[in-house]
Amino acid sequence: MHTFSITRSLGAFLVLLISTLLLSSWRQGSTENLLERGSSVGEPPLIFNVSSAQHIAHQDGRHDFHVKWSNHHSHHGFYKRVDVGKLDYDQSVCKGAVLYQKILAAFQGNSAPGREFSPEDIENGWVKDDDNAVLPDWETPLKAIGKIIGIGERDPTKEEISLIDLLQRKPFKNANGDQINDLERAAHHELAYIPSFNTIIIINAVSPTNQVQTRFKKEKQKYTQADILKRIPPLNRVSDVMWTVWSTVSKSPNSLRYIGIDQVTNSDTLGIMKTIFEKGEAKGPIKWPGLKFGLDTEEGQALLATPSGLAITWLMIDRAGKLGKRIPTVSIYSVYPEMGGYYRMLWDLQPSSPTSAAPPATPRPTSRSKIAAQTKRSGRRSLRVLHKRVLDYETAKCKGKALYNNINAAFQGKASLGSVYEFSAQSLENGWRYEDEVEELDDTWNEALKMISRTLRIGDRLPTEAESLPDEMTGGFYDVAYIPSFLTIIATDTQSPRNQLIFNSRGDITEAEIQRRLPPLHRLSDVIWTIWNLNSRSPNDLRYIGRSNVLDEGAVAIMGRFFDDRGGITGWPGYTYGIDTEEGQALLATPNGVAIAWLLIDRAGRLGRRRPKVTIWSAFPDAGRGFHMLWDLEPI
């Protein structure tokens, strides 16, 4: 009897589980591709501009602590290769910052307007299904919106809410004017329009582009962007559908202010939202009003780059001339936080007042300014600092490309990255003490230095100068071999004060507390420049910067990837990459590369234009460890 009962219960559980999975699969196939991923597939590609990396936090030094080589074995030695197929938090922050700069450029009139669609475009391939919408659990947010826009305590359930569902149900003409009869019948955009509340709520959105791509992949066909464009109607993207329909149902199109996402189901977006919820005081999802972020915050930029955020991004970029300058924010919350699900977004495209300027392009931010801006807008205490994630290759390429553009902008005198503080000799005594001893360099550095001596035509000789700079306030330290006769600095071991504070607190520390405890001089790029500036006869002579024994897990994985691609780990002279290459840009985004990037950006006026490149090699290639970097800042 008990056996039968258990078996029957297990069977019921399996039926429920399978049903749930099938429903989840259907929703992912309908809503995920629709709204978020579908809305992004047809959007314009990202173009990095010269200011796109201004958001990247200036955090130099080693980000992982006491990394044990034995934890990262691979067939080539002691490292592991990290590949991430989905959008992770760091990638999202980087891409979101690029999008934020494009939005600011559009607000300032530096972006071409998007195509205007007509009611005839709505009829081209689409069947419009109009109905009155019922929006469960939106009453409270809509009442809050009513108060903000000045219509008082109006009951949103009694307002006229137009549910407009565009379904691809009839033949259409593509952008070339060709008649297309082979339809993607699953494509549709289901949107609730509430003109009296200046609000659109996206319920479902499956773009034709996404469906065409899915078909090509299912049939294992190779395809190009041109192949996709031949099979989709001109009105395709959810951002264009939102604007076109809003223009027809609203008396004043630029009155659009709020855009809600009814239920986020896209896995990438959900992952980003969960990460942000975990940073909050509740350490998990919360009900309305949830968490609110401006686009000048890390969290806001991460959400901006999600598939759900891209539709809002391109709406603001393409329609900036009609919408005017806005100060966007995004709120995230859960309808059922106790169940850990049903996540929603509400984007507020708050108009900028006539007397106020457009939101300024984010300068090179300090953690202090970022947290202050975030706290001011959210009205909450500082979020806790997340443990540093391992840098993956895709994120490194994104950040490296942005840094590369900023370096070029600095060389051309076009970068506006805030004032650059020159540190004095007293700064080196404020919380720091000198030791005239550093770790010994292995023999491969002798070969590298001989190469340097030949390049500089100073003969085959080896240097002896060295400095060490421990920080008694935080436990951070910088061991630096300073070699003015070779125009060289080699960092043998680095642990930034900032990261040491995070490590010692196990991540349970606010940004405000970190800033309170940091000495003024705490970044590796500033330490390198200050030591060189105070001790060299000609500071702009600095040319070579080395990093001995790279330990950061992400950097080691990226270097290991390049070794794999070139046939295996090798000793000196290793492999060299310019920072105009994908590999060089990925290395530029590693913790040690970031220090080089900001040195070049901040001190461009003193160093002059350079042609940077980086060489990587291993001191012990047979053992697969002891990875080194040497940056050559060749003058132009």
Side-chain angles (χ1 to χ4, degrees):
M1 176 110 178
H2 290 295
T3 303
F4 173 77
S5 176
I6 293 172
T7 304
R8 182 173 59 184
S9 299
L10 179 61
F13 170 74
L14 290 173
V15 170
L16 177 62
L17 176 62
I18 292 170
S19 301
T20 302
L21 290 174
L22 287 173
L23 177 61
S24 173
S25 175
W26 175 81
R27 284 200 65 87
Q28 290 291 337
S30 60
T31 311
E32 168 186 356
N33 295 334
L34 356 167
L35 155 64
E36 297 98 349
R37 188 165 292 161
S39 68
S40 68
V41 170
E43 307 289 2
L46 295 184
I47 305 296
F48 286 85
N49 56 43
V50 296
S51 58
S52 61
Q54 295 175 358
H55 75 290
I56 298 176
H58 186 152
Q59 296 177 9
D60 302 330
R62 193 169 69 223
H63 290 275
D64 295 286
F65 310 102
H66 306 297
V67 177
K68 296 181 180 179
W69 292 97
S70 57
N71 290 340
H72 313 300
H73 281 279
S74 77
H75 66 284
H76 273 307
F78 299 104
Y79 70 88
K80 64 179 181 181
R81 183 165 177 163
V82 179
D83 287 302
V84 179
K86 294 185 177 180
L87 184 71
D88 70 7
Y89 185 75
D90 290 335
Q91 290 177 28
S92 198
V93 170
C94 181
K95 293 178 179 179
V98 176
L99 290 168
Y100 177 52
Q101 295 298 328
K102 292 182 75 69
I103 291 170
L104 292 179
F107 287 164
Q108 294 163 4
N110 297 325
S111 180
R115 171 180 170 177
E116 289 291 342
F117 294 91
S118 66
E120 288 73 25
D121 289 301
I122 298 177
E123 300 296 327
N124 183 21
W126 299 100
V127 173
K128 187 167 67 170
D129 184 10
D130 294 346
D131 200 355
N132 290 327
V134 177
L135 299 171
D137 302 307
W138 276 100
E139 183 177 352
T140 300
L142 286 171
K143 282 185 175 180
I145 289 173
K147 290 181 181 179
I148 293 172
I149 64 176
I151 61 175
E153 292 280 352
R154 290 170 61 167
D155 185 352
T157 62
K158 296 180 181 179
E159 296 294 320
E160 182 178 347
I161 302 176
S162 300
L163 179 65
I164 299 178
D165 195 359
L166 296 185
L167 304 106
Q168 195 179 96
R169 291 291 187 271
K170 61 183 181 182
F172 61 90
K173 290 185 178 181
N174 64 20
N176 297 327
D178 303 324
Q179 184 79 11
I180 304 299
N181 299 313
D182 187 11
L183 305 180
E184 301 296 339
R185 293 186 174 273
H188 74 122
H189 293 295
E190 186 178 7
L191 311 168
Y193 291 82
I194 320 173
S196 57
F197 280 73
N198 301 346
T199 297
I200 291 175
I201 296 175
I202 303 174
I203 300 173
N204 279 323
V206 185
S207 75
T209 297
N210 181 268
Q211 293 303 108
V212 170
Q213 284 184 319
T214 300
R215 182 192 292 194
F216 278 134
K217 291 176 182 178
K218 185 176 181 180
E219 296 173 357
K220 298 182 179 180
Q221 296 184 37
K222 293 183 179 179
Y223 62 92
T224 64
Q225 187 70 16
D227 295 328
I228 295 176
L229 292 174
K230 290 177 183 178
R231 300 182 61 170
I232 62 174
L235 182 60
N236 164 60
R237 305 180 303 172
V238 66
S239 58
D240 291 330
V241 170
M242 277 194 294
W243 178 254
T244 303
V245 179
W246 181 263
S247 298
T248 64
V249 302
S250 173
K251 295 179 180 179
S252 177
N254 68 348
S255 64
L256 176 60
R257 175 165 174 180
Y258 294 94
I259 301 174
I261 312 296
D262 182 57
Q263 182 178 3
V264 176
T265 60
N266 171 265
S267 57
D268 286 343
T269 309
L270 287 172
I272 302 301
M273 294 176 74
K274 288 177 181 177
T275 296
I276 295 173
F277 279 133
E278 289 169 1
K279 293 175 63 178
E281 294 178 3
K283 298 183 179 180
I286 57 176
K287 288 186 175 181
W288 173 264
L291 303 176
K292 185 176 181 179
F293 305 98
L295 298 193
D296 55 351
T297 66
E298 177 182 287
E299 293 82 3
Q301 291 169 3
L303 292 165
L304 191 65
T306 63
S308 297
L310 284 172
I312 285 74
T313 297
W314 288 108
L315 175 72
M316 289 190 286
I317 292 172
D318 289 341
R319 313 301 167 186
K322 295 290 186 70
L323 289 170
K325 296 176 181 178
R326 301 296 178 109
I327 306 174
T329 59
V330 56
S331 297
I332 60 173
Y333 65 99
S334 171
V335 179
Y336 306 113
E338 63 278 1
M339 299 175 62
Y342 211 121
Y343 289 179
R344 280 179 173 169
M345 286 184 179
L346 182 62
W347 295 83
D348 179 359
L349 312 185
Q350 178 185 352
S352 175
S353 64
T355 57
S356 65
T362 306
R364 166 184 165 183
T366 62
S367 299
R368 184 190 300 274
S369 65
K370 287 175 66 180
I371 203 69
Q374 173 183 302
T375 305
K376 179 179 179 182
R377 286 167 173 77
S378 65
R380 297 176 292 105
R381 289 187 295 166
S382 301
L383 298 180
R384 291 184 306 280
V385 176
L386 282 178
H387 289 290
K388 182 67 182 180
R389 289 173 177 80
V390 176
L391 180 70
D392 66 85
Y393 186 60
E394 293 302 318
T395 302
K397 287 195 300 181
C398 175
K399 290 186 175 182
K401 176 69 172 179
L403 285 168
Y404 171 66
N405 285 328
N406 259 359
I407 290 170
N408 283 336
F411 287 163
Q412 296 165 13
K414 297 179 181 178
S416 177
L417 300 168
S419 60
V420 177
Y421 185 71
E422 289 288 352
F423 294 93
S424 64
Q426 286 71 32
S427 300
L428 291 172
E429 298 174 0
N430 184 9
W432 299 91
R433 60 184 173 84
Y434 272 109
E435 292 179 357
D436 296 326
E437 184 177 349
V438 295
E439 295 182 14
E440 292 185 1
L441 298 171
D442 61 62
D443 291 341
T444 61
W445 278 107
N446 290 339
E447 297 302 314
L449 289 166
K450 286 180 180 179
M451 179 277 296
I452 291 173
S453 69
R454 288 192 294 269
T455 302
L456 300 177
R457 299 181 180 180
I458 59 176
D460 286 341
R461 58 192 182 88
L462 297 178
T464 57
E465 303 97 329
E467 303 283 357
S468 181
L469 201 64
D471 172 22
E472 293 181 325
M473 297 170 64
T474 65
F477 58 86
Y478 293 115
D479 286 353
V480 179
Y482 154 73
I483 317 166
S485 57
F486 280 65
L487 312 184
T488 297
I489 281 183
I490 301 173
T492 60
D493 200 1
T494 60
Q495 190 137 284
S496 74
R498 173 190 170 82
N499 287 328
Q500 186 62 27
L501 285 172
I502 296 173
F503 176 73
N504 290 340
S505 67
R506 300 181 184 276
D508 188 17
I509 186 172
T510 65
E511 191 66 39
E513 178 64 12
I514 291 174
Q515 293 298 327
R516 187 185 69 81
R517 296 176 60 182
L518 283 176
L521 179 64
H522 62 272
R523 299 182 176 113
L524 178 56
S525 59
D526 290 331
V527 168
I528 289 174
W529 176 255
T530 301
I531 292 178
W532 189 264
N533 189 35
L534 294 174
N535 292 278
S536 173
R537 294 180 180 178
S538 180
N540 64 347
D541 280 348
L542 177 60
R543 175 164 175 179
Y544 295 96
I545 302 175
R547 179 57 169 95
S548 178
N549 198 20
V550 175
L551 294 179
D552 176 76
E553 187 177 354
V556 169
I558 289 169
M559 294 170 75
R561 177 192 189 103
F562 298 156
F563 285 136
D564 280 351
D565 292 344
R566 299 284 289 268
I569 300 174
T570 184
W572 178 264
Y575 304 124
T576 300
Y577 306 97
I579 64 169
D580 56 346
T581 66
E582 181 180 290
E583 296 86 352
Q585 290 165 9
L587 293 167
L588 192 65
T590 63
N592 300 288
V594 167
I596 307 303
W598 284 108
L599 175 71
L600 292 169
I601 292 168
D602 288 343
R603 316 298 171 180
R606 301 285 298 277
L607 290 170
R609 300 188 65 176
R610 302 295 180 106
R611 186 183 294 109
K613 55 188 175 184
V614 56
T615 299
I616 61 172
W617 76 97
S618 169
F620 309 103
D622 292 339
R625 60 185 179 86
F627 290 179
H628 299 329
M629 286 183 182
L630 179 63
W631 295 85
D632 179 358
L633 313 182
E634 180 186 1
I636 296 178

